[in-house]
Amino acid sequence: MRTPLVLILLASWRASAQVPLPEPPFLPQNASAGASPSSAGIPNSQWSSLLGNLLYFYEAQRSGKLPSTNRVKWRNDSALTDGQDVKLDLTGGLYDAGDYIKCTFPLSFTVMSICWGATDFGKGYDLANQTPYLDDMLRWSLNWLIKAHAANNTLFVQVANEEIDNAYWGGDRNIPLPRPSYQINDTSPGTDAAAGTAAAFAACSNLYANRIFSNSYSGPATLQNATYAATLLEHAKQLFTFATSASGGQAVYQHSVPEVGKAYASSGFGDELAIAALFLSWATNSSSLYQQAQGYWQQYSLGSYDGVFNWDNKTPGLPVLFAQIAQANPSFGGNASTWQTVAEKYFDGIVYGSGPGYQTHGGLLYYKGDSDDASLNPSLNAAMLLTRYVPLASTQSRRNDYWNYAKAQVNYALGNNPMQAPYIVGANPNSPQNPHSAMASGGNNISNINTSPPQEAYVLYGGVVGGPDKYDRFFDIRADWPETEVALDYNAPMLTLAAMHVLNDTADPFYTSLKAGAYDSKKPQGMPCDDAYTDGCSGPQLSQGSKIVLGVIPGLTGLAIFSLLGWWAMISLRRAHDPLY
């Protein structure tokens, strides 16, 4: 007797169904709750709430037809015609930042980072009761990437035109048209975008298949689903083949699609090839792919890079992943101690100060250039990698130093900084009040973003903003996108870090010690100096007390110089009259 097709489809749906969402749903608390200490214990309720808020942010960034389980009530269905220009359904996915474009390259990095983190520290999501929302967020993102991977050798890398989008400031009901769809394909390749998306699919397949690296970590979040893991792995394999063997050769994706270079231009593709091969080697138990990844490391001279880990450059994460896999399965032919040496050279440069990054006076890890827009992102990504590497460190002193450095960077982001501001929207009364988000602002006057309306219409709970400048100043100006814009990749490292703290930390996040008004007492005068504003480029604005101090110092210096001149004149006169001098 044949099984009815409907039962086959139902069984298939059940096999790939996501973790049921809680009822009643988790909803962020008022920011005032972030100024109250929690009762001690694990899981810590404040860290659990923070983890929930960070995931909630991704729900606020959704595009397309919203489900009945939507928790962000001020959001609406949007961009329902995406893909019609190419006769495909490209609706859904996530808006990339404070605007309405959808970009595959940073999205794939974001989900790769989150899946990697949820594989290592996934039990933190379980303890915080946030695993259903992690599953929901990942599937919403991955299912859109599956749509974007429309054929074996075709990947849509952006939906919407940057210039049209930047000319609009308003809500999600009136997003301007047209919204063109941009693709790479066999004859117009994008090695970086294809390999980066392959890495995302492979990393997430590992998570859904429960492929753990080591007992040194907590293990994956409890969302295992073999059917979904297999689907993701198939897309990963196809995209990696596309990246390595397109008939058009290998190239950065903006070479084929110049439009994408306006927002997310890529600097190379060797790092994407290596990290895709690594995640695939673990997903398929392939020593040859591991060796291939080591080959890319040599071929593209990736060991010479000592900069930041972000959506464009995955290189700093590679030695950690090489070491994780080599330790987990020595038969792959990797030498764990060799990769420890490589990783520790990079991390020592950060922690002990020999690398290109430096610490601001307030303690933020800062890279000239890379930190000028979104200063918190390099810092939090470094903290995330350091925290992951701690169990692999070669000495106890490094374990201690790496852990303490990472914790200090997290504490800085959560309010232990000169502004006394936690840089996560809605976490505390001192959190940013004016995130650069067209959706959340409630305004529609692009010529008057800052004061129309005077107060942000909606609280974008859980959004990590760009962060302060190199002087540790944060102006909280809506139009100042380098400091106040939110973005998908900004939240990613903080998610992994928060999950880790849920697992291990009985102490509250730093911001619970900050009372209302703390930031207002520290808020800088004047205007910023960055890519959005040049008004403050004459130098950092100082408080009156600092001006008095700086006024006194030249006066004392002048007095000292005058006294020295007098002393020298006296000596000269004595020499002229006394042969003993």
Side-chain angles (χ1 to χ4, degrees):
M1 177 180 174
R2 291 185 177 180
T3 305
L5 179 60
V6 67
L7 293 181
I8 294 174
L9 293 173
L10 182 59
S12 175
W13 174 82
R14 283 176 175 166
S16 61
Q18 70 183 66
V19 178
L21 294 169
E23 189 58 47
F26 169 86
L27 293 172
Q29 294 180 283
N30 185 278
S32 60
S36 301
S38 69
S39 56
I42 292 179
N44 178 285
S45 60
Q46 286 283 4
W47 281 108
S48 296
S49 293
L50 175 59
L51 187 63
N53 287 6
L54 291 164
L55 283 169
Y56 182 91
F57 163 77
Y58 287 104
E59 200 160 316
Q61 294 294 113
R62 285 180 171 180
S63 176
K65 176 73 176 175
L66 300 181
S68 60
T69 54
N70 171 49
R71 296 176 291 165
V72 189
K73 299 307 178 186
W74 49 270
R75 283 300 322 282
N76 303 283
D77 298 343
S78 61
L80 298 179
T81 62
D82 281 359
Q84 284 188 1
D85 59 323
V86 290
K87 296 181 172 56
L88 291 172
D89 175 14
L90 294 177
T91 61
L94 299 170
Y95 296 121
D96 127 83
D99 48 21
Y100 295 104
I101 62 172
K102 299 192 297 196
C103 302
T104 298
F105 199 43
L107 174 60
S108 61
F109 168 77
T110 298
V111 295
M112 180 199 77
S113 177
I114 293 171
C115 284
W116 189 11
T119 301
D120 289 339
F121 303 108
K123 298 307 178 191
Y125 291 94
D126 290 355
L127 284 173
N129 295 317
Q130 289 297 323
T131 297
Y133 295 111
L134 171 66
D135 188 27
D136 196 37
M137 175 269 163
L138 289 174
R139 286 173 182 263
W140 189 271
S141 307
L142 291 162
N143 289 347
W144 185 80
L145 288 173
I146 288 171
K147 286 182 177 183
H149 184 210
N152 286 0
N153 292 342
T154 300
L155 178 69
F156 283 87
V157 291
Q158 184 170 307
V159 175
N161 177 277
E162 177 82 1
E163 292 179 1
I164 295 173
D165 191 71
N166 284 344
Y168 173 70
W169 184 263
D172 56 13
R173 292 181 183 272
N174 299 298
I175 299 172
L177 297 174
R179 288 174 58 83
S181 307
Y182 301 92
Q183 65 172 277
I184 54 173
N185 53 48
D186 188 52
T187 54
S188 299
T191 311
D192 40 12
T197 310
F201 280 130
C204 295
S205 176
N206 289 334
L207 171 62
Y208 279 95
N210 203 37
R211 301 184 190 104
I212 64 173
F213 289 113
S214 167
N215 291 330
S216 299
Y217 303 98
S218 79
T222 309
L223 43 63
Q224 283 66 56
N225 190 298
T227 303
Y228 197 54
T231 298
L232 299 177
L233 183 55
E234 186 59 30
H235 282 278
K237 291 176 179 178
Q238 292 172 1
L239 281 164
F240 188 67
T241 299
F242 170 32
T244 55
S245 57
S247 65
Q250 294 185 325
V252 291
Y253 76 139
Q254 67 263 24
H255 178 79
S256 297
V257 187
E259 173 64 24
V260 301
K262 297 175 184 177
Y264 290 102
S266 171
S267 59
F269 51 76
D271 53 325
E272 282 85 20
L273 287 171
I275 205 161
L278 272 179
F279 277 120
L280 272 166
S281 75
W282 191 242
T284 60
N285 195 33
S286 169
S287 60
S288 63
L289 279 168
Y290 186 90
Q291 297 300 323
Q292 193 171 338
Q294 291 191 133
Y296 291 136
W297 178 270
Q298 297 295 333
Q299 179 182 350
Y300 295 103
S301 301
L302 299 178
S304 64
Y305 179 79
D306 60 359
V308 303
F309 179 72
N310 62 14
W311 58 267
D312 179 38
N313 206 310
K314 290 85 176 174
T315 299
L318 287 170
V320 180
L321 188 55
F322 271 120
Q324 282 184 306
I325 296 174
Q327 185 185 73
N329 193 339
S331 69
F332 277 18
N335 188 316
S337 62
T338 296
W339 288 111
Q340 280 179 311
T341 301
V342 175
E344 289 175 8
K345 179 184 177 183
Y346 176 76
F347 290 136
D348 284 357
I350 292 174
V351 174
Y352 304 129
S354 60
Y358 67 92
Q359 283 190 272
T360 64
H361 289 301
L364 178 68
L365 174 63
Y366 201 96
Y367 290 80
K368 184 178 180 181
D370 282 300
S371 297
D372 294 343
D373 298 338
S375 62
L376 289 175
N377 193 240
S379 161
L380 290 176
N381 272 318
M384 180 268 294
L385 289 178
L386 281 163
T387 300
R388 169 176 284 114
Y389 185 75
V390 163
L392 303 172
S394 62
T395 65
Q396 186 60 47
S397 63
R398 279 193 172 93
R399 283 191 282 274
N400 293 338
D401 292 346
Y402 290 3
W403 170 264
N404 290 332
Y405 191 95
K407 187 174 182 180
Q409 295 305 302
V410 173
N411 284 342
Y412 184 103
L414 298 184
N416 190 12
N417 56 62
M419 296 288 98
Q420 295 190 12
Y423 293 116
I424 300 178
V425 180
N428 175 275
N430 299 286
S431 292
Q433 302 298 305
N434 295 290
H436 182 92
S437 167
M439 287 184 289
S441 75
N444 55 21
N445 183 354
I446 197 168
S447 301
N448 194 18
I449 290 175
N450 291 333
T451 57
S452 177
Q455 180 177 343
E456 201 102 350
Y458 308 105
V459 180
L460 193 57
Y461 286 104
V464 178
V465 298
D469 66 11
K470 62 186 177 181
Y471 303 110
D472 300 294
R473 303 176 305 170
F474 182 74
F475 291 86
D476 200 13
I477 297 172
R478 199 176 299 158
D480 186 28
W481 58 265
E483 292 195 2
T484 59
E485 190 163 21
V486 294
L488 303 179
D489 61 304
Y490 296 178
N491 270 49
M494 199 67 203
L495 263 178
T496 295
L497 290 161
M500 181 274 297
H501 279 278
V502 170
L503 279 167
N504 301 306
D505 209 338
T506 58
D508 289 336
F510 184 87
Y511 55 70
T512 60
S513 65
L514 299 175
K515 302 304 178 186
Y519 168 70
D520 289 338
S521 70
K522 303 290 184 179
K523 187 174 182 178
Q525 299 175 354
M527 294 293 286
C529 173
D530 53 34
D531 284 343
Y533 284 98
T534 58
D535 307 49
C537 290
S538 59
Q541 305 297 314
L542 300 170
S543 67
Q544 188 62 31
S546 299
K547 291 175 182 176
I548 291 171
V549 169
L550 288 181
V552 168
I553 289 172
L556 292 174
T557 303
L559 180 61
I561 292 171
F562 182 79
S563 299
L564 285 171
L565 287 173
W567 175 80
W568 179 252
M570 180 183 71
I571 294 296
S572 299
L573 285 171
R574 286 189 178 183
R575 280 178 173 165
H577 294 92
D578 192 334
L580 294 178
Y581 274 82

